[in-house]
Amino acid sequence: MKKLLLLLFISISFNASAADDLVEYMDNGLPKHYELLDGKTPIYIEFTDVIQGRYIVDVEWFPDWGLVPMFNGPANINFKLVDRDVKFTIKTDFFNIGNRMFSFPKYRINANTIANKEVIKMKYSDIANEPFAFGDMNFDGVKELVIANRKQGQRHHDAYEVYLIQEIEDTSYFNIMDLTDTLPYSNIDATTEFDSDNKTIQLYYSGGACSSSYETYKRVFSDYPLRDYKFELIHKIDYETWDEDGNDIPCTKYVYDVVDGKEILDEAKSGTVD
């Protein structure tokens, strides 16, 4: 019995090695089929689990092995409600599931997979670093769709696209509002801080040791929730090494309260810093 198991193990190992030997490699050591991952050739993914308990999702992804991080690329993310005939598609430029799906045997991709446009079926819950998620980004109790742009934020942090999902219960009304060009959503990245108690979002702008700044936005509510999703800038902090005339000065912190769009310097909290 032990000999039989040993022979079986050797056979499996040999076949796996033989399969690996069939893979062609480029001069840089990467599999040759990576050349097909040029940002124009699609890979089709279908998630087999229901996401957020209500969405069935599939993706048409155009990964580019030459980008940083590797395999960033455009994608069409298709959402469908499980309980209603409602569908919507989000187009994004920096979709990325990660290198694992190209090397992990369960989802191994090769030239045939790509050429034959095979649909790769996988569990969304298996992905360690989710390419999209749902979260309450404006403190109204309803979750927004958030799409990660890998390494596209300041200092190579992930940046995020936010989409407001507007729907009215017991109707077929279903609208997706793109908030990616609206402050503060347009500058949300991995450094952003959310305060659900005070209903504020703090944006951080990194400019070096004494050139950074912070902006705090507060949610403006409306009696009619589909009408007003604005945030107002209420607080600002700047760190600078020059004065209004352009003269060099010690690192100085300027704290402002913003009232009706006007910046009011808080002298008690401002001053030079170590």
Side-chain angles (χ1 to χ4, degrees), residues 11 13-14 47 50 68 99 108 112-113 127 129-130 143 148 171 180 229 251:
S11 174
S13 299
F14 174 78
F47 297 116
V50 177
V68 178
N99 294 358
R108 181 161 290 169
N112 288 333
T113 305
I127 303 174
N129 198 5
E130 298 172 334
K143 291 183 179 181
T171 73
T180 54
Y229 280 89
C251 183

Side-chain angles (χ1 to χ4, degrees), residues 8 17 30 37 39 51 58 67 90 107 111 122 125 130 153 174 190 196 224 236 251 258 273:
L8 181 61
S17 298
L30 294 174
L37 306 176
I51 298 173
D58 65 82
L67 295 181
I90 301 295
Y107 305 120
M122 62 188 303
S125 56
E130 298 172 334
F174 205 90
S196 58
Y224 181 52
K236 184 177 178 181
C251 183
V258 183
V273 297

Side-chain angles (χ1 to χ4, degrees), residues 15-184:
N15 289 334
S17 298
D20 288 340
D21 289 340
L22 295 176
V23 178
E24 295 184 62
Y25 292 89
M26 296 185 286
D27 293 339
N28 58 12
L30 294 174
K32 190 169 179 59
H33 68 261
Y34 277 22
E35 291 179 333
L36 296 174
L37 306 176
D38 54 4
K40 301 176 182 178
T41 304
I43 287 179
Y44 298 94
I45 300 169
E46 180 181 308
F47 297 116
T48 58
D49 40 354
V50 177
I51 298 173
Q52 285 289 303
R54 65 183 317 211
Y55 296 105
I56 296 174
V57 182
D58 65 82
V59 180
E60 183 185 25
W61 180 24
F62 301 85
D64 190 335
W65 74 273
L67 295 181
V68 178
M70 187 181 288
F71 306 126
N72 256 12
N76 300 314
I77 311 174
N78 305 305
F79 295 83
K80 182 183 183 306
L81 288 184
V82 295
D83 58 350
R84 279 187 282 166
D85 187 23
V86 176
K87 303 176 183 177
F88 63 91
T89 297
I90 301 295
K91 299 179 183 292
T92 186
D93 291 328
F94 301 102
F95 188 86
N96 199 324
I97 288 182
N99 294 358
R100 187 181 178 193
M101 79 169 290
F102 292 93
S103 58
F104 191 58
K106 188 176 182 180
Y107 305 120
R108 181 161 290 169
I109 295 175
N110 53 39
N112 288 333
T113 305
I114 299 170
N116 294 333
K117 298 182 179 181
E118 295 180 20
V119 177
I120 300 167
K121 296 187 177 183
M122 62 188 303
K123 279 189 173 183
Y124 189 76
S125 56
D126 284 347
I127 303 174
N129 198 5
E130 298 172 334
F132 61 87
F134 292 83
D136 187 0
M137 306 293 283
N138 58 12
F139 315 113
D140 66 350
V142 179
K143 291 183 179 181
E144 282 68 54
L145 171 62
V146 184
I147 298 177
N149 290 173
R150 297 295 179 219
K151 307 298 182 184
Q152 299 307 303
Q154 57 188 337
R155 296 188 179 274
H156 302 292
H157 287 293
D158 289 347
Y160 298 96
E161 302 172 26
V162 180
Y163 295 84
L164 180 70
I165 300 174
Q166 295 179 326
E167 56 183 309
I168 298 178
E169 191 175 355
D170 298 326
T171 73
S172 59
Y173 181 81
F174 205 90
N175 182 49
I176 307 300
M177 183 181 294
D178 184 351
L179 299 176
T180 54
D181 293 327
T182 305
L183 279 169

